[in-house]
Amino acid sequence: MTPSVGIAKHDGAALTPEQLLRHAEQAMNAAKSTGTGAIRLYDESMDAEAQRRFALDAQLKHALERGEFTVHYQPQLDLASGELYACEALLRWKSARLGPVFPDEFIPLAEENGYILDIGAWVLEQACRDAVTWSERDLSIRGVAVNVSVLQFIQPGFAPLVRDTLARTGLEPGSLELEITESLLAADTQSAVATLTALKAIGVRLSIDDFGTGYSSLSQLKHFPIDRIKIDRAFIRDLHTDSQDAAITDAIIAMAGSLGLRVLAEGVETEEHLERLMAAGCDEIQGYWLGRPQPAEALLEDLERIDALLDRLHRGVRATPIARAS
């Protein structure tokens, strides 16, 4: 067992015992948020953090019914064919009261409070409907990848939910990819395999997201009915300058190939990244070099620029990368 400790000191101010205990609890929550085995001393900034969290929770509770969520899509490129074959669906929230809220801030809160079940079901359906539209327009983008939260994945009715959503929207099962986190698979291997097997029986594709940052072992990996591994952007950022990142990336690509899995590299931002990944035998890429996440209609309007970028790549002409988002 590893403790998370919060400490509050009485500094002579007019604090009641209840206030002192509340400060200690706020410090403990801050310690928990940084990981196990952490110790935090209370400071006044934690009051602002607590107020922000309270405001987020109050607005997040009704954000779905208010229509404040949108789904943005980031294209994925098959390096062998040179075609965009799918997009990853990414949730965005613009609160009427709080303005834009980053996913790293609201998604953990939605998972903690259970809101992610309804939100995740909505994202899945919206992504499937948009993918059907792409197919009807005869675009090369035929598939969509949707992230699955831990809370969604462990629900007994998750596989039936996916099957019903596909039937309702008319999307072919093979056009949907569900992205599962590596740490989730490591938590309960037997249960995870059962759920993944049920999803594979439906016909959807499965991938492990952020591979290399979790805790699953290679002996576990061989039991999972996975189609694709996504290399975390942390290994791609300094790929062309950090020999250790390059070695890890090469090892993941080689291992996946020996297991018959495809490999997608996230966070590809420069042509140097691209060239290094192509030399290593990576199958697919995703990142700002190709295009930033954007709403479905904006993505379709951006396809002409992406086609020109890929044409320059095919002819060996260097292109200017898309600027990193602030």
Side-chain angles (χ1 to χ4, degrees), residues 52 56 59 68 93-102 106:
R52 171 69 173 176
L56 283 173
Q59 297 304 311
E68 295 178 348
W93 178 29
K94 185 176 182 180
S95 168
R97 291 193 177 184
L98 303 175
V101 184
F102 288 109
F106 75 82

Side-chain angles (χ1 to χ4, degrees), residues 74 81 91 108 114 116-118 122 139 141-142 147-148 151 184 190 194 200-201 214-215 217 238 297 308 321-322 326:
Q74 188 169 39
S81 68
L91 180 63
I116 197 66
L117 294 178
D118 288 338
W122 176 82
L139 301 177
I141 303 174
R142 299 298 180 92
N147 291 278
V148 177
L151 194 59
L184 185 155
Q190 186 174 1
K200 286 299 292 182
Y215 307 97
S217 67
D238 300 317
E297 287 303 317
I322 297 176
S326 59

Side-chain angles (χ1 to χ4, degrees), residues 16 102 109 125 175 216 222 228 241 258 268 282 285 319:
T16 65
F102 288 109
L109 183 61
E125 178 139 352
S175 295
S216 66
K222 69 180 182 180
R228 178 178 285 102
T241 58
S258 65
V268 177
C282 187
I285 65 163

Side-chain angles (χ1 to χ4, degrees), residues 145-199:
V146 179
N147 291 278
V148 177
S149 78
V150 173
L151 194 59
Q152 285 178 285
F153 187 79
I154 65 176
Q155 297 300 310
F158 180 61
L161 170 68
V162 172
R163 182 183 60 244
D164 293 345
T165 302
L166 289 168
R168 187 166 52 251
T169 60
L171 183 67
E172 291 294 325
S175 295
L176 174 64
E177 180 171 307
L178 299 177
E179 298 187 0
I180 315 295
T181 61
E182 184 183 6
S183 56
L184 185 155
L185 298 179
D188 187 349
T189 304
Q190 186 174 1
S191 176
V193 170
T195 301
L196 293 174
T197 301
L199 292 169

Side-chain angles (χ1 to χ4, degrees), residues 56-65 93 115:
L56 283 173
D57 183 68
Q59 297 304 311
L60 186 59
K61 186 175 183 179
H62 302 289
L64 185 59
E65 61 191 65
W93 178 29
Y115 307 148

